Amino acid sequence: QLVESGGGLVQAGGSLRLSCAASLRTFINYPMAWFRQPPGKEREFVAAISNGGSTYYTNSVKGRFTMSRDNAKITVYLQINSLQPEDTGIYYCAASRIFHGTASREIVDYDTWGQGTQVTVSS
């Protein structure tokens, strides 16, 4: 129900825009988030957006990543600037139909996931 796109191989300092398209219009009511899984590491929170558009970021990406949503297209985006090698990983989009706050940073609060898109940053 969630399909990510936009990943790729970029040099350090470059930019990417990831997209996550939802299949159902009801997703405009849900908080959404991006998580990533670096090679050999656990999945980690990157950014979240409430159904009202409030955004939240992990400290390491503040000022470089921007999450947004376009409810008309039922799509969320993650604009990634100033990419660093440590940003390498599989990026997953997630939606929460079960969390009743504004947005969550916790994996367990998200019940719908995309298949992921690979981001590789070369130094």
Side-chain angles (χ1 to χ4, degrees):
Q1 298 183 33
L2 299 176
V3 178
E4 302 100 330
S5 60
L9 171 63
V10 296
Q11 290 188 331
S15 298
L16 285 172
R17 188 175 83 152
L18 308 184
S19 299
C20 171
S23 59
L24 299 174
R25 187 141 195 90
T26 51
F27 279 94
I28 67 172
N29 300 312
Y30 305 142
M32 304 280 291
W34 287 95
F35 290 80
R36 68 185 176 190
Q37 187 162 13
K41 297 184 178 181
E42 295 185 351
R43 196 171 300 189
E44 62 186 19
F45 171 78
V46 174
I49 189 166
S50 71
N51 58 355
S54 298
T55 53
Y56 310 86
Y57 302 95
T58 192
N59 287 339
S60 62
V61 309
K62 285 181 181 177
R64 300 189 298 122
F65 290 21
T66 303
M67 186 173 183
S68 60
R69 66 191 305 160
D70 183 337
N71 288 337
K73 296 181 179 180
I74 329 173
T75 300
V76 295
Y77 303 97
L78 187 67
Q79 177 68 42
I80 310 176
N81 298 327
S82 302
L83 276 159
Q84 304 167 5
E86 51 266 38
D87 295 318
T88 293
I90 302 173
Y91 282 68
Y92 296 92
C93 174
S96 175
R97 298 174 294 177
I98 57 177
F99 185 75
H100 300 292
T102 52
S104 171
R105 300 168 182 257
E106 302 298 328
I107 291 175
V108 296
D109 288 327
Y110 292 87
D111 61 310
T112 304
W113 293 82
Q115 83 288 350
T117 186
Q118 177 72 45
V119 172
T120 303
V121 185
S122 62
S123 58

